[in-house]
Amino acid sequence: MKHADDKGGGLAQAIFAGSTGTATKTEVSARLRRWCIGFENWCEHRRHSYHPITNRAGLRISRHFFEHCGKFPWQVTAADVEDYVEQLQEQGYALSTINYHLSTLASFYRWCSQNNVDRYCGSDFNPLAEFKRPSGELYQHAHLWSRAEADALLGILESDVWILSKRDAAFFTCRFLLGISNRDLRQLQWGQIEEQKATRWLNLGSAKERVRLEPRAWHSLEIYLRAAGRLSPQRTPPAEAYIFAPLVNMGYEIGGNQPQDWDENRCLQAITLRNSLQTYGKLVGIGAEKLRLPNLRHTAAAWRLEASDSSKQIDVFLGSPGILLTRNYIGHLRRMMRTRGEETFVAKVPAALPVRRQFKFQPGDRIQHGLYAQIQPSGELQEMLGLDVRGLDFEIEAMRCLERRLVVELAEKHPRKELIDLMDMSTRAAVWMARLIDSEKKLKAEGKGDEAFVEQFLDAMRQMAEKGGIPFDRERIFADALESDPGLAVSNRRLVEEIATTRLIMRRSLKLAMETADLSELVRWTGVYGETSARLCRLLKAQGNEVGRVAEHLWEVAQRAIKETVDELRRG
């Protein structure tokens, strides 16, 4: 935890002071530093208490709010908050989202008051507390499904022959029968399924109560896992394997009937499930307003309410959010049940089912897939391969040029939003520069001598092979050196092409960043360059490790050849 005499961070200064200009008066600068430190401590507190997604949302909301106000934190009034809320409403933000923004900002001011960040503001300074939050109907965009609609969706998925449809059918079946959150269901692992007295339970960990796995939900899971080859008498998934997993190869036609076809170490993304829900839901004629993942959980809870479950039972069903919250939620469910109308849905019969397979990218596609680019290098990539660039000297100097360009722009007069973006990117560019320099030092220290030894050894082997009329296969030597690790034994050429492709992307983004006169484009392409530089560092590290393994292998070959020669001389 930082103290009042520590220096405030660049991000907090960008959020608070970027839109108002640099403070010149001593007392204002000191006051700003205290608020910056308070903001960083608040963020640190949230990092230990909330999910990373919630923490990122807090940073985004803070930036948006103070950018809109154009004031220092201690200058914000209830009128500024009201103006901010009006802007969100004009942009079409939902009531729940607006209140979430206000709750997050109120939490920041509350933290600063409790920790005496600014003694001049008083112990109860909170402009959000003085503002009356907008009221309205919660869950106004929620829509309950009828049982006929649910049966139609599951029916079309179960009738589809593609294995991905069986996986999605299992997920949506569980969604209609289980009240756990979407994240908990997507991240469900095999080890969380427990069997006790012929009843299966989901152990979600922490303080949550176990959830009974309905027989129909288990049946759908079993169909999917057996069809995928992940569950059989000869195989049980590992405890840490995700139930709803993506395929390993997404650039080729789907197999999916072998365990190795699935990436069990990754859970399925919500966007994949949303796309499937919308695709198949529209085919059977379900309204677009209902094709949202949260609606499935609302429907599951409404069905339990129709089955005369008590508030306590529904609280457990929903993962025990708290009996008071559950009772409030039940009130909204009853309202949605009254307004959903009669069940008049009649499922459509689609002319054809969607083809659930990935396609291979062909030359001329408007987007060139990364896998295709690796297999068929472009002319620019071939030129980059011919340059045979080593190290990170060029990238370090290029990053230094981008930093100077950002600093020059910061000295000019620009609108406050552009100044915030420039300050943020300048701070990030400094971090990327430090990483590049550090990686350069490590690469030189770790790979010193290995590459020279490998090249000299292979050159000697090539000369001997030419004299003896024996074919020389460089790639075979690398493959022999790496055959103990299938992941690295793919080929050294592929890694070299990856590095060349990454350097090519960086040079393109550098050119665009240095030529543009648009500040937003400058920030954007600098970000692309910096993020890609981090990838380049990882690839060079992998290449260094590979060269080191080849050097070790060739050294062992040389030692073995010397030993055999000495033994032969002794025998002769």
PDB file of all heavy atoms in Angstrom, residues 498-517:
ATOM      1  N   GLU A 498       7.605 -17.719 -38.210  1.00  0.00           N
ATOM      2  CA  GLU A 498       6.808 -16.996 -37.209  1.00  0.00           C
ATOM      3  C   GLU A 498       7.511 -15.700 -36.814  1.00  0.00           C
ATOM      4  O   GLU A 498       6.889 -14.645 -36.708  1.00  0.00           O
ATOM      5  CB  GLU A 498       6.601 -17.882 -35.974  1.00  0.00           C
ATOM      6  CG  GLU A 498       5.574 -18.973 -36.150  1.00  0.00           C
ATOM      7  CD  GLU A 498       4.174 -18.465 -35.921  1.00  0.00           C
ATOM      8  OE1 GLU A 498       4.001 -17.245 -35.715  1.00  0.00           O
ATOM      9  OE2 GLU A 498       3.245 -19.276 -35.961  1.00  0.00           O
ATOM     10  N   ILE A 499       8.809 -15.790 -36.592  1.00  0.00           N
ATOM     11  CA  ILE A 499       9.577 -14.604 -36.183  1.00  0.00           C
ATOM     12  C   ILE A 499       9.601 -13.573 -37.308  1.00  0.00           C
ATOM     13  O   ILE A 499       9.419 -12.373 -37.080  1.00  0.00           O
ATOM     14  CB  ILE A 499      11.003 -15.018 -35.776  1.00  0.00           C
ATOM     15  CG1 ILE A 499      10.961 -15.866 -34.499  1.00  0.00           C
ATOM     16  CG2 ILE A 499      11.888 -13.794 -35.580  1.00  0.00           C
ATOM     17  CD1 ILE A 499      12.281 -16.461 -34.111  1.00  0.00           C
ATOM     18  N   ALA A 500       9.798 -14.056 -38.543  1.00  0.00           N
ATOM     19  CA  ALA A 500       9.822 -13.132 -39.681  1.00  0.00           C
ATOM     20  C   ALA A 500       8.460 -12.457 -39.872  1.00  0.00           C
ATOM     21  O   ALA A 500       8.381 -11.260 -40.167  1.00  0.00           O
ATOM     22  CB  ALA A 500      10.227 -13.887 -40.947  1.00  0.00           C
ATOM     23  N   THR A 501       7.374 -13.223 -39.692  1.00  0.00           N
ATOM     24  CA  THR A 501       6.025 -12.647 -39.816  1.00  0.00           C
ATOM     25  C   THR A 501       5.799 -11.575 -38.763  1.00  0.00           C
ATOM     26  O   THR A 501       5.243 -10.504 -39.043  1.00  0.00           O
ATOM     27  CB  THR A 501       4.964 -13.756 -39.656  1.00  0.00           C
ATOM     28  OG1 THR A 501       5.189 -14.760 -40.640  1.00  0.00           O
ATOM     29  CG2 THR A 501       3.568 -13.196 -39.820  1.00  0.00           C
ATOM     30  N   THR A 502       6.249 -11.838 -37.539  1.00  0.00           N
ATOM     31  CA  THR A 502       6.083 -10.872 -36.452  1.00  0.00           C
ATOM     32  C   THR A 502       6.876  -9.600 -36.715  1.00  0.00           C
ATOM     33  O   THR A 502       6.385  -8.483 -36.509  1.00  0.00           O
ATOM     34  CB  THR A 502       6.517 -11.505 -35.124  1.00  0.00           C
ATOM     35  OG1 THR A 502       5.796 -12.721 -34.913  1.00  0.00           O
ATOM     36  CG2 THR A 502       6.259 -10.566 -33.959  1.00  0.00           C
ATOM     37  N   ARG A 503       8.102  -9.753 -37.203  1.00  0.00           N
ATOM     38  CA  ARG A 503       8.909  -8.566 -37.538  1.00  0.00           C
ATOM     39  C   ARG A 503       8.248  -7.766 -38.665  1.00  0.00           C
ATOM     40  O   ARG A 503       8.281  -6.535 -38.667  1.00  0.00           O
ATOM     41  CB  ARG A 503      10.319  -8.999 -37.954  1.00  0.00           C
ATOM     42  CG  ARG A 503      11.179  -9.552 -36.826  1.00  0.00           C
ATOM     43  CD  ARG A 503      12.596  -9.754 -37.325  1.00  0.00           C
ATOM     44  NE  ARG A 503      13.423 -10.504 -36.408  1.00  0.00           N
ATOM     45  CZ  ARG A 503      14.109  -9.979 -35.397  1.00  0.00           C
ATOM     46  NH1 ARG A 503      14.030  -8.689 -35.170  1.00  0.00           N
ATOM     47  NH2 ARG A 503      14.859 -10.745 -34.616  1.00  0.00           N
ATOM     48  N   LEU A 504       7.651  -8.473 -39.618  1.00  0.00           N
ATOM     49  CA  LEU A 504       6.995  -7.794 -40.728  1.00  0.00           C
ATOM     50  C   LEU A 504       5.811  -6.964 -40.230  1.00  0.00           C
ATOM     51  O   LEU A 504       5.609  -5.819 -40.652  1.00  0.00           O
ATOM     52  CB  LEU A 504       6.526  -8.832 -41.754  1.00  0.00           C
ATOM     53  CG  LEU A 504       5.811  -8.285 -42.992  1.00  0.00           C
ATOM     54  CD1 LEU A 504       6.713  -7.329 -43.765  1.00  0.00           C
ATOM     55  CD2 LEU A 504       5.354  -9.433 -43.879  1.00  0.00           C
ATOM     56  N   ILE A 505       5.012  -7.533 -39.324  1.00  0.00           N
ATOM     57  CA  ILE A 505       3.876  -6.794 -38.757  1.00  0.00           C
ATOM     58  C   ILE A 505       4.370  -5.550 -38.023  1.00  0.00           C
ATOM     59  O   ILE A 505       3.779  -4.469 -38.131  1.00  0.00           O
ATOM     60  CB  ILE A 505       3.084  -7.708 -37.812  1.00  0.00           C
ATOM     61  CG1 ILE A 505       2.401  -8.832 -38.609  1.00  0.00           C
ATOM     62  CG2 ILE A 505       2.038  -6.909 -37.032  1.00  0.00           C
ATOM     63  CD1 ILE A 505       1.765  -9.885 -37.746  1.00  0.00           C
ATOM     64  N   MET A 506       5.466  -5.695 -37.289  1.00  0.00           N
ATOM     65  CA  MET A 506       5.996  -4.562 -36.534  1.00  0.00           C
ATOM     66  C   MET A 506       6.480  -3.452 -37.465  1.00  0.00           C
ATOM     67  O   MET A 506       6.242  -2.268 -37.220  1.00  0.00           O
ATOM     68  CB  MET A 506       7.133  -5.040 -35.621  1.00  0.00           C
ATOM     69  CG  MET A 506       6.676  -5.969 -34.496  1.00  0.00           C
ATOM     70  SD  MET A 506       8.032  -6.572 -33.473  1.00  0.00           S
ATOM     71  CE  MET A 506       8.538  -5.058 -32.653  1.00  0.00           C
ATOM     72  N   ARG A 507       7.131  -3.832 -38.575  1.00  0.00           N
ATOM     73  CA  ARG A 507       7.642  -2.800 -39.479  1.00  0.00           C
ATOM     74  C   ARG A 507       6.507  -2.088 -40.208  1.00  0.00           C
ATOM     75  O   ARG A 507       6.585  -0.888 -40.483  1.00  0.00           O
ATOM     76  CB  ARG A 507       8.621  -3.433 -40.465  1.00  0.00           C
ATOM     77  CG  ARG A 507       9.845  -3.987 -39.759  1.00  0.00           C
ATOM     78  CD  ARG A 507      11.025  -4.163 -40.650  1.00  0.00           C
ATOM     79  NE  ARG A 507      12.183  -4.604 -39.858  1.00  0.00           N
ATOM     80  CZ  ARG A 507      13.418  -4.662 -40.312  1.00  0.00           C
ATOM     81  NH1 ARG A 507      13.675  -4.308 -41.554  1.00  0.00           N
ATOM     82  NH2 ARG A 507      14.400  -5.064 -39.540  1.00  0.00           N
ATOM     83  N   ARG A 508       5.451  -2.833 -40.525  1.00  0.00           N
ATOM     84  CA  ARG A 508       4.296  -2.192 -41.137  1.00  0.00           C
ATOM     85  C   ARG A 508       3.649  -1.196 -40.171  1.00  0.00           C
ATOM     86  O   ARG A 508       3.304  -0.073 -40.549  1.00  0.00           O
ATOM     87  CB  ARG A 508       3.275  -3.251 -41.551  1.00  0.00           C
ATOM     88  CG  ARG A 508       3.654  -4.039 -42.796  1.00  0.00           C
ATOM     89  CD  ARG A 508       2.620  -5.112 -43.053  1.00  0.00           C
ATOM     90  NE  ARG A 508       2.882  -5.853 -44.264  1.00  0.00           N
ATOM     91  CZ  ARG A 508       2.180  -6.921 -44.636  1.00  0.00           C
ATOM     92  NH1 ARG A 508       1.187  -7.349 -43.864  1.00  0.00           N
ATOM     93  NH2 ARG A 508       2.454  -7.556 -45.750  1.00  0.00           N
ATOM     94  N   SER A 509       3.446  -1.615 -38.924  1.00  0.00           N
ATOM     95  CA  SER A 509       2.814  -0.732 -37.943  1.00  0.00           C
ATOM     96  C   SER A 509       3.706   0.463 -37.625  1.00  0.00           C
ATOM     97  O   SER A 509       3.213   1.576 -37.403  1.00  0.00           O
ATOM     98  CB  SER A 509       2.479  -1.511 -36.656  1.00  0.00           C
ATOM     99  OG  SER A 509       3.634  -2.094 -36.095  1.00  0.00           O
ATOM    100  N   LEU A 510       5.041   0.263 -37.613  1.00  0.00           N
ATOM    101  CA  LEU A 510       5.962   1.391 -37.398  1.00  0.00           C
ATOM    102  C   LEU A 510       5.826   2.410 -38.520  1.00  0.00           C
ATOM    103  O   LEU A 510       5.756   3.624 -38.270  1.00  0.00           O
ATOM    104  CB  LEU A 510       7.396   0.869 -37.317  1.00  0.00           C
ATOM    105  CG  LEU A 510       8.495   1.939 -37.258  1.00  0.00           C
ATOM    106  CD1 LEU A 510       8.403   2.737 -35.968  1.00  0.00           C
ATOM    107  CD2 LEU A 510       9.874   1.297 -37.400  1.00  0.00           C
ATOM    108  N   LYS A 511       5.781   1.936 -39.750  1.00  0.00           N
ATOM    109  CA  LYS A 511       5.661   2.826 -40.907  1.00  0.00           C
ATOM    110  C   LYS A 511       4.360   3.634 -40.831  1.00  0.00           C
ATOM    111  O   LYS A 511       4.351   4.859 -41.042  1.00  0.00           O
ATOM    112  CB  LYS A 511       5.698   1.999 -42.190  1.00  0.00           C
ATOM    113  CG  LYS A 511       5.642   2.820 -43.479  1.00  0.00           C
ATOM    114  CD  LYS A 511       5.822   1.893 -44.676  1.00  0.00           C
ATOM    115  CE  LYS A 511       5.835   2.689 -45.986  1.00  0.00           C
ATOM    116  NZ  LYS A 511       4.545   3.297 -46.276  1.00  0.00           N
ATOM    117  N   LEU A 512       3.267   2.956 -40.503  1.00  0.00           N
ATOM    118  CA  LEU A 512       1.978   3.640 -40.418  1.00  0.00           C
ATOM    119  C   LEU A 512       1.950   4.652 -39.269  1.00  0.00           C
ATOM    120  O   LEU A 512       1.352   5.721 -39.384  1.00  0.00           O
ATOM    121  CB  LEU A 512       0.863   2.611 -40.238  1.00  0.00           C
ATOM    122  CG  LEU A 512       0.597   1.718 -41.458  1.00  0.00           C
ATOM    123  CD1 LEU A 512      -0.299   0.550 -41.067  1.00  0.00           C
ATOM    124  CD2 LEU A 512      -0.038   2.526 -42.575  1.00  0.00           C
ATOM    125  N   ALA A 513       2.595   4.299 -38.139  1.00  0.00           N
ATOM    126  CA  ALA A 513       2.612   5.198 -36.984  1.00  0.00           C
ATOM    127  C   ALA A 513       3.427   6.455 -37.263  1.00  0.00           C
ATOM    128  O   ALA A 513       3.042   7.558 -36.866  1.00  0.00           O
ATOM    129  CB  ALA A 513       3.174   4.468 -35.767  1.00  0.00           C
ATOM    130  N   MET A 514       4.558   6.317 -37.955  1.00  0.00           N
ATOM    131  CA  MET A 514       5.430   7.466 -38.184  1.00  0.00           C
ATOM    132  C   MET A 514       4.920   8.358 -39.318  1.00  0.00           C
ATOM    133  O   MET A 514       5.265   9.542 -39.381  1.00  0.00           O
ATOM    134  CB  MET A 514       6.849   6.987 -38.504  1.00  0.00           C
ATOM    135  CG  MET A 514       7.502   6.213 -37.357  1.00  0.00           C
ATOM    136  SD  MET A 514       7.575   7.138 -35.793  1.00  0.00           S
ATOM    137  CE  MET A 514       8.765   8.407 -36.202  1.00  0.00           C
ATOM    138  N   GLU A 515       4.083   7.808 -40.211  1.00  0.00           N
ATOM    139  CA  GLU A 515       3.616   8.598 -41.344  1.00  0.00           C
ATOM    140  C   GLU A 515       2.308   9.331 -41.072  1.00  0.00           C
ATOM    141  O   GLU A 515       2.008  10.327 -41.717  1.00  0.00           O
ATOM    142  CB  GLU A 515       3.434   7.696 -42.578  1.00  0.00           C
ATOM    143  CG  GLU A 515       4.744   7.178 -43.150  1.00  0.00           C
ATOM    144  CD  GLU A 515       4.508   6.263 -44.345  1.00  0.00           C
ATOM    145  OE1 GLU A 515       3.325   5.926 -44.602  1.00  0.00           O
ATOM    146  OE2 GLU A 515       5.492   5.900 -45.004  1.00  0.00           O
ATOM    147  N   THR A 516       1.504   8.824 -40.126  1.00  0.00           N
ATOM    148  CA  THR A 516       0.169   9.400 -39.925  1.00  0.00           C
ATOM    149  C   THR A 516       0.237  10.743 -39.200  1.00  0.00           C
ATOM    150  O   THR A 516       1.121  10.984 -38.375  1.00  0.00           O
ATOM    151  CB  THR A 516      -0.715   8.427 -39.125  1.00  0.00           C
ATOM    152  OG1 THR A 516      -2.035   8.975 -39.021  1.00  0.00           O
ATOM    153  CG2 THR A 516      -0.162   8.228 -37.711  1.00  0.00           C
ATOM    154  N   ALA A 517      -0.717  11.602 -39.523  1.00  0.00           N
ATOM    155  CA  ALA A 517      -0.863  12.872 -38.823  1.00  0.00           C
ATOM    156  C   ALA A 517      -2.025  12.829 -37.836  1.00  0.00           C
ATOM    157  O   ALA A 517      -2.252  13.784 -37.094  1.00  0.00           O
ATOM    158  CB  ALA A 517      -1.087  14.005 -39.832  1.00  0.00           C
TER     159      ALA A 517
END
